[in-house]
Structure formats: C-alpha cells, structure tokens
Amino acid sequence: MSEAHTFHPTVLREYDIRGIVGSTLTAADARAVGRAFGTVVARGGGKTVCVGYDGRLSSPELEAAMVDGLAACGLHVLRIGLGPTPMLYFATRDRAAAAGIMITGSHNPPDYNGIKMMLGKGPVYGQQILDLGIIASKADYVSGEGSSEQIDVKDAYVDRMMRDYDGTRDLTIAWDAGNGASGEILRRLTAKLPGKHILLFDEIDGNFPNHHPDPTVEKNLVDLKAAVAEHGCDIGIGFDGDGDRIGAIDHLGRVVWGDQLVAIYAADVLKNHPGATIIADVKASQTLFDEIARLGGTPLMWKTGHSLLKAKMAETGSPLAGEMSGHIFFADKWYGFDDALYCGVRLIGLVSKLNQPLSELRDRLPDVVNTPETRFQVSEERKFQVVQEVKARLKAEGADVNDIDGVRVKTADGWWLLRASNTQDVLVARAESGTPEGLERLKGMVVAQLEASGLQAPSFEDGGSAH
C-alpha cells in the first residue's frame, strides 16, 4: 500500500500533471498522486479534499484511484462527480475544503488525461508538482483511515453564477460545449438565463465526435459561427474540454480573441475598481495594455500560464486577468479562478446592459495584424539557452526588451515575442504590428535572432491574421 512510485518523466508539468492514458499516465499514477498530494494536505492540517472529473472515457477510473490514494492518507473526500474544472474550484471554495483535485485532460486529444490541483485558495504548480514526485519516489506518505462521500454542487454552482448576471434585455446566444464536461451545467444555466439559447454539442462525449474542444483555434468554431448566422444570434460562446477557457464570436461571425475579451471586461470592471491592476500574459496584444491604461487602470504584463496568473492576481489584488489562450479570471464578484461559464454570464450581462452589440465593443480596439503563435521544436536543454542568447544580444544592442517571460521586444513597428514553452520542447514566437509591412519587418527580426543562435527559423503563416 505504501510502495515507492516513479512517474514517467514527461508527466509532471509546470501547471498540472498530464499524459497519455495507459502509456505515460495510469490509474497507479493517479493513486500515487493521491497519496503524495494527500500527504501534503494532511501535513498542513487539512482534513477534506474535493475531487471532480471531466467527460473523458478514462476519467472515472483515474478519479476512483485518486480517491483511494487520498483516503489512504486519512482524508475525507467530497466527490462532486462529472463536470467542468471551475465547478471543482467552486466546490472547494464553497465547502471550505483544504484542497481540490480535478481529473481532466483539458483541451488535449481524447487519449490524454491529467490532474489539476488547488491547495487552499491557490493553484498548485511548478516546484510543488515536482515535490509530489519526490514524495512518491520515497513513499514518504502519511497513512490513515479516510472516507469519501458523493455530493452534488451543480445547482449551487449555477445559482451562484446567476447571482452575478446583470443584463437588462434579452439576447439570443449560441453555445458550443464541444462535447466537453460543461454540457450538463450549460443546460441548467441556460434554463435560468433570460433570452433565447441555442446549444451545440452539449452531450458529454469523451470521443469529441464533432470537433476538437479548443475554442481558441478558429477551425473549431465553424459550427458556432454557422449557428450564430442561422439563428441571428447576438453572441456565440464556446468552451474547451473542461470549461476553463472561453472563445467568443460576435454577430458578424468574427472571433473575439482572449485579449480582446479582457479589454471588454476591463471597461466594466474598472468602473467598480478605478485604477486597479489588470493582468494579461506576454502573448497579449499591445492594444489591450494600452486600452487598460486609457480606461484608467494599471496594466501589468505577466508570465504565460493559468497558475502563474492566478498567483499574481492574489499577490496584487487584481480584480481581472486573462490570457490569449482564453483563460480569463474574475476576482471582481467571483473567486479569482478561470471559469468560462462564468465569463459567458458576465459577457452576456455586459452586452445586454450596454445596449451595444459585441462587435462595437470589439471594434473600440485599434486594428492590428499579427502572426498566430508559431511553435517549433527545440530540445528541452536548448530552448531556454536560446532565449538567453537572444536576450543577451538584444540588450547589448540597446533594444526595448521585456524579459518577464522570454523576450518581448518593442519597436516602432510593434512587438515580437520569443519564449520557451513550460510544457513542451518548443519555442513560441509571435509578432504584431499596425501594418502588414511592419509585421514583415518584425518577423524578419525573429528569424535573424534564431539564425544567430544556429536554429532554422519558423515559417510564420503568410500575412498574419487580423486582430
């Protein structure tokens, strides 16, 4: 029962635990995480842990193993069942549990699964995750006779979201759950929201038969765009596989990207929190940071990663933060965690009470052209070295460099970014300008720096994308 356990070297990630089911991630791994994380909770004086799981076919087996491992540490486990990740975050806060664990593969392919954790009110990430591997490798576990019980928090979660709905006119909304874990909650939520609601793919199916559940990739929004056009919707809203990332479409069928959504939300949040710090990651458009400043807020650029942004929010007292990837965090009225369903409620309320279409709110921001995130393979050992080499050259040249997470370089043409991924053996490049010609010059700078470090440059998509 207390044997040492070694995880596959690719499984313990910066922000969570993730692997291919039956290959790099097994039920034995889930049980070992339960033992190791349960030990951390118990040694900290915790007694209760909430556990939930998403709609993947492997999730029930991993959840049962996790509960077994936690109970073996003498903890009481509140099993909330199948639902989105933010419902687990809500349950942990609502039930004042010492910790929460979610079995989820998020937006990864169907054969993946993983584990997200929170301790107290904060995320578990970085060294905390690596420490679980050390505890398991030594079988340095707390032991006890724990217990578990099934609880139902679905109605409480929906009711709490509805408390913050402040719309004043009915809208027509299309929703795409992507066959992910949000389906049942979405049905309960839309039954209470005013207006007309068209639900797509709300049946939870871990095979994801209709499209991949990642609303930040435009090809996954084709069905949502079609529904918006067919039904004359005011807004289209999509979710990823575990409901913590949002995608949005305006009535013209245009994507409203994550940083644009943060700018729209910021205008509303800053009315109640004048001068407040609003945080966004280094991949976000400069137009967002400029807009926050224009609105009287204090823009803060921070590292990419949902756990890192949550931690920075708590540190700064920020009421709102967001990432290009669609993780958006409200501490204004909400709990500071990323919740796409709640973000949907706030977006509908905002558009409703302002009596303006989402397209007008989107178009307040200047048009820019940018590249998509371009990823290319570099070894784990080399990727961080390359970024350091680029940074050293740029600083020697006197360039305007923000090095909070990789290098983000500002020029008269706009900006470009090069950073090492924390979760994959890749470098990520991105560039943005006010003109196509400026974008080409920025792309050329990225290419030149990569070649100076002996790497073949990534091939950016031609022309960039309007944003």
Side-chain angles (χ1 to χ4, degrees):
M1 291 291 286
S2 296
E3 295 144 358
H5 185 90
T6 302
F7 297 98
H8 190 278
T10 63
V11 163
L12 303 180
R13 309 287 189 99
E14 176 71 13
Y15 314 125
D16 54 26
I17 294 168
R18 202 180 312 166
I20 300 170
V21 176
S23 173
T24 61
L25 183 67
T26 65
D29 292 318
R31 189 178 190 283
V33 172
R35 293 298 325 261
F37 187 58
T39 294
V40 171
V41 173
R43 285 180 178 155
K47 305 293 185 188
T48 306
V49 180
C50 289
V51 176
Y53 64 91
D54 72 7
R56 289 166 185 264
L57 305 182
S58 58
S59 290
E61 180 188 12
L62 296 179
E63 188 264 359
M66 176 67 69
V67 171
D68 187 39
L70 292 166
C73 296
L75 298 169
H76 182 59
V77 185
L78 299 176
R79 304 172 77 170
I80 69 166
L82 170 58
T85 292
M87 187 174 82
L88 178 275
Y89 296 154
F90 167 79
T92 305
R93 296 291 294 268
D94 188 58
R95 297 299 179 107
I101 299 181
M102 184 71 185
I103 305 294
T104 177
S106 188
H107 61 282
N108 285 101
D111 56 340
Y112 279 75
N113 215 324
I115 300 162
K116 294 179 180 178
M117 295 161 286
M118 61 186 292
L119 187 60
K121 296 178 180 179
V124 174
Y125 64 98
Q127 189 60 46
Q128 292 170 296
I129 291 177
L130 298 180
D131 287 345
L132 299 182
I134 295 169
I135 292 169
S137 70
K138 298 177 178 177
D140 181 21
Y141 301 134
V142 167
S143 293
E145 302 235 352
S147 56
S148 67
E149 65 174 305
Q150 295 283 155
I151 64 169
D152 189 343
V153 299
K154 293 182 177 68
D155 285 338
Y157 176 46
V158 170
D159 289 346
R160 177 61 188 85
M161 285 191 282
M162 285 300 302
R163 262 173 47 195
D164 291 346
Y165 177 72
D166 57 0
T168 56
R169 65 186 174 100
D170 289 357
L171 301 176
T172 301
I173 313 294
W175 305 79
D176 184 349
N179 299 112
S182 299
E184 184 179 350
I185 296 299
L186 180 60
R187 288 193 291 272
R188 296 188 189 205
L189 179 64
T190 52
K192 295 194 172 192
L193 282 167
K196 180 182 177 184
H197 301 276
I198 295 93
L199 274 55
L200 306 179
F201 316 133
D202 55 310
E203 293 299 324
I204 299 172
D205 185 341
N207 293 307
F208 306 118
N210 293 287
H211 62 75
H212 190 60
D214 184 349
T216 62
V217 176
E218 195 158 0
K219 68 180 181 181
N220 297 328
L221 299 173
V222 169
D223 298 298
L224 185 60
K225 289 182 179 183
V228 167
E230 179 186 347
H231 298 279
C233 296
D234 298 284
I235 307 172
I237 296 172
F239 303 132
D240 71 340
D242 69 329
D244 59 6
R245 298 193 304 135
I246 188 172
I249 303 291
D250 68 14
H251 78 285
L252 301 175
R254 300 178 302 173
V255 178
V256 185
W257 299 104
D259 50 1
Q260 294 172 323
L261 285 172
V262 175
I264 290 166
Y265 290 132
D268 189 50
V269 168
L270 286 168
K271 292 174 185 173
N272 297 323
H273 303 272
T277 297
I278 308 293
I279 307 171
D281 74 324
V282 295
K283 293 187 286 187
S285 171
Q286 185 60 40
T287 60
L288 168 58
F289 299 102
D290 294 344
E291 177 70 357
I292 292 166
R294 187 190 73 77
L295 293 166
T298 305
L300 176 61
M301 187 182 297
W302 195 240
K303 301 174 184 179
T304 291
H306 64 91
S307 297
L308 303 177
L309 264 73
K310 277 182 257 198
K312 197 65 176 176
M313 283 185 83
E315 176 191 326
T316 60
S318 167
L320 177 68
E323 288 190 293
M324 272 297 297
S325 62
H327 287 281
I328 297 178
F329 317 78
F330 278 95
D332 171 59
K333 302 180 185 176
W334 200 237
Y335 302 94
F337 55 72
D338 35 345
D339 188 335
L341 288 144
Y342 182 77
C343 289
V345 170
R346 290 290 290 258
L347 184 63
I348 297 166
L350 183 59
V351 171
S352 171
K353 70 185 180 184
L354 287 178
N355 205 24
Q356 288 178 284
L358 179 58
S359 57
E360 281 188 22
L361 302 178
R362 177 192 185 276
D363 290 341
R364 286 180 186 171
L365 299 172
D367 273 337
V368 292
V369 287
N370 48 42
T371 67
E373 281 186 49
T374 302
R375 296 168 178 265
F376 62 107
Q377 204 107 19
V378 182
S379 70
E380 288 287 346
E381 299 76 26
R382 185 78 181 110
K383 66 181 183 182
F384 291 108
Q385 293 171 358
V386 170
V387 172
Q388 289 303 316
E389 291 165 10
V390 171
K391 181 168 76 170
R393 285 194 296 268
L394 291 167
K395 292 208 165 179
E397 295 165 6
D400 184 349
V401 179
N402 181 321
D403 61 358
I404 195 71
D405 184 5
V407 288
R408 177 165 162 149
V409 185
K410 198 171 181 181
T411 80
D413 285 317
W415 61 271
W416 60 268
L417 170 74
L418 185 72
R419 62 180 292 273
S421 168
N422 284 311
T423 55
Q424 296 173 283
D425 54 347
V426 298
L427 285 171
V428 178
R430 189 162 188 256
E432 177 183 275
S433 179
T435 67
E437 298 78 18
L439 186 65
E440 289 306 312
R441 287 190 287 270
L442 293 170
K443 286 155 66 173
M445 291 178 188
V446 179
V447 168
Q449 287 295 335
L450 291 168
E451 290 178 344
S453 284
L455 297 177
Q456 184 176 350
S459 41
F460 288 100
E461 287 185 14
D462 291 336
S465 57
H467 181 165

